[in-house]
């Protein structure tokens, strides 16, 4: 009889422990699909495929500018949550402002748990990714950076005219690898970290705003009368671009 009672007690304990464990299991957080939507402006004035070639703007140095082309490359998107967990997305984003179909970026591996995140990405390609001739779509877009300047790919092409109300002159604001000397080159990508919290509760479109005017004013006020063309082989100009791009992007609306 005592043996039966002992077995019964042990069974109850085991059953109770099992129930406690079930109660303490943490269900996985729901997953959300993420899309990045890039919008472009000049100090608040929208710039897109409809007005890129007709809008005139004034830079921080006072030059009146027109715009004929703006293309840029970013890569290695990451979202990091409040616990320090990072979710990395494959692929890169090549944007051509004349083509609105290039404004959005939907990574293949874009499901992440709901939560609050900050966004980080690379302006251009880092040293690992900036491999000369490696990407067929960028090759087709004539996006290659000249081998004599370090090879790899452009980070940006921004072209137009300045002093358009007086004696108009061309500018070619092209960014990529920085040439130190004839056979020495310096990687010139930038790590863009946007600290604005992004709270994801459902499938979401994250607006990333590009203020083009920042390329010409922060921290380096750009004088196009001195630095207009050619800028690609100009080491100092390339490093100034790298510094100025750090304030170009910000987080906008989150649609979900």
């Amino acid at each position: 009889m005592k043996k039966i009672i002992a077995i019964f007690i042990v069974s109850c304990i085991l059953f109770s422990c099992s129930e406690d464990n079930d109660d303490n299991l943490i269900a996985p957080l729901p997953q959300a699909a993420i899309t990045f939507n890039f919008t472009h402006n000049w100090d608040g004035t929208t710039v897109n495929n409809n007005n890129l070639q007709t809008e005139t703007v004034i830079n921080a140095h006072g030059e009146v500018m027109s715009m004929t082309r703006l293309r840029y490359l970013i890569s290695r998107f990451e979202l990091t949550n409040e616990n320090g967990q990072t979710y990395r997305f494959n692929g890169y984003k090549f944007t051509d402002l004349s083509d609105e179909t290039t404004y959005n970026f939907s990574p293949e591996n874009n499901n992440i748990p709901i939560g609050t995140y900050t966004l980080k990405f690379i302006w251009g390609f880092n040293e690992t990714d900036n491999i000369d001739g490696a990407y067929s779509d960028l090759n087709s877009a004539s996006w290659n950076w000249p081998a004599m300047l370090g090879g790899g790919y452009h980070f940006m092409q921004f072209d137009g005219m300045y002093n358009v109300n007086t004696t108009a002159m061309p500018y070619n604001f092209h960014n990529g690898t920085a040439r130190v000397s004839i056979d020495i080159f310096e990687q010139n990508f930038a790590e863009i970290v946007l600290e604005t919290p992004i709270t994801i509760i459902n499938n979401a479109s994250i607006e990333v705003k590009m203020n083009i005017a920042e390329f010409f004013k922060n921290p380096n006020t750009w004088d196009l009368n001195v630095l207009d063309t050619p800028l690609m082989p100009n080491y100092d100009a390339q490093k100034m671009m790298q510094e100025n791009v750090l304030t170009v992007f910000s987080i906008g609306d989150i649609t979900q």
Side-chain angles (χ1 to χ4, degrees), residues 242-253:
Q242 182 192 45
E243 293 172 354
N244 281 18
V245 75
L246 296 176
T247 61
V248 165
F249 294 96
S250 61
I251 298 296
D253 295 331

Side-chain angles (χ1 to χ4, degrees), residues 95-254:
T95 303
D96 183 344
L97 256 69
S98 69
D99 182 1
E100 64 180 358
T101 65
T102 66
Y103 293 2
N104 293 343
F105 178 59
S106 297
E108 293 179 4
N109 56 325
N110 66 349
N111 287 327
I112 63 171
I114 62 172
T116 299
Y117 295 85
T118 54
L119 174 63
K120 180 172 73 173
F121 55 82
I122 296 295
W123 171 253
F125 278 145
N126 67 12
E127 189 169 4
T128 300
D129 298 334
N130 201 17
I131 304 168
D132 203 31
Y135 309 97
S136 58
D137 58 330
L138 300 181
N139 298 337
S140 298
S142 299
W143 195 243
N144 310 79
W145 191 256
M148 64 178 293
L149 299 180
Y153 292 89
H154 281 77
F155 301 163
M156 178 173 63
Q157 293 176 334
F158 185 28
D159 304 304
M161 306 291 288
Y162 69 99
N163 293 336
V164 297
N165 293 338
T166 54
T167 304
M169 298 288 291
Y171 66 87
N172 302 116
F173 200 82
H174 292 196
N175 183 217
T177 298
R179 185 180 71 172
V180 179
S181 62
I182 193 168
D183 57 355
I184 299 175
F185 311 100
E186 184 176 313
Q187 293 299 316
N188 203 35
F189 64 90
E191 185 178 81
I192 308 300
V193 180
L194 303 180
E195 298 290 355
T196 302
I198 302 168
T199 300
I200 305 298
I201 60 174
N202 206 333
N203 294 343
S205 175
I206 301 170
E207 181 188 14
V208 182
K209 301 166 69 174
M210 179 192 209
N211 184 0
I212 306 164
E214 289 290 323
F215 281 112
F216 296 88
K217 66 180 178 182
N218 190 14
N220 303 296
T221 301
W222 203 277
D223 184 353
L224 282 173
N225 299 285
V226 177
L227 295 172
D228 54 1
T229 63
L231 302 182
M232 292 169 64
N234 186 323
Y235 175 84
D236 291 336
Q238 290 302 316
K239 300 312 291 185
M240 289 167 65
M241 292 179 190
Q242 182 192 45
E243 293 172 354
N244 281 18
V245 75
L246 296 176
T247 61
V248 165
F249 294 96
S250 61
I251 298 296
D253 295 331
I254 313 298

Side-chain angles (χ1 to χ4, degrees), residues 22-88:
D22 289 342
D23 290 341
N24 292 330
L25 287 176
I26 299 175
L29 291 172
Q31 300 281 303
I34 303 300
T35 297
F36 298 96
N37 173 34
F38 281 72
T39 60
H40 311 87
N41 70 89
W42 186 285
D43 283 341
T45 298
T46 297
V47 180
N48 56 30
N49 61 307
N50 294 318
N51 69 340
L52 174 64
Q53 297 191 2
T54 58
E55 192 73 32
T56 57
V57 296
I58 302 176
N59 67 24
H61 194 259
E63 285 84 50
V64 180
M65 301 169 54
S66 66
M67 300 171 281
T68 57
R69 177 173 68 169
L70 177 53
R71 307 195 297 176
Y72 64 92
L73 175 74
I74 52 182
S75 60
R76 293 192 175 245
F77 287 72
E78 296 182 0
L79 286 171
T80 301
N81 67 18
E82 295 172 308
N83 296 323
Q85 296 170 307
T86 296
Y87 297 85
R88 297 178 175 87

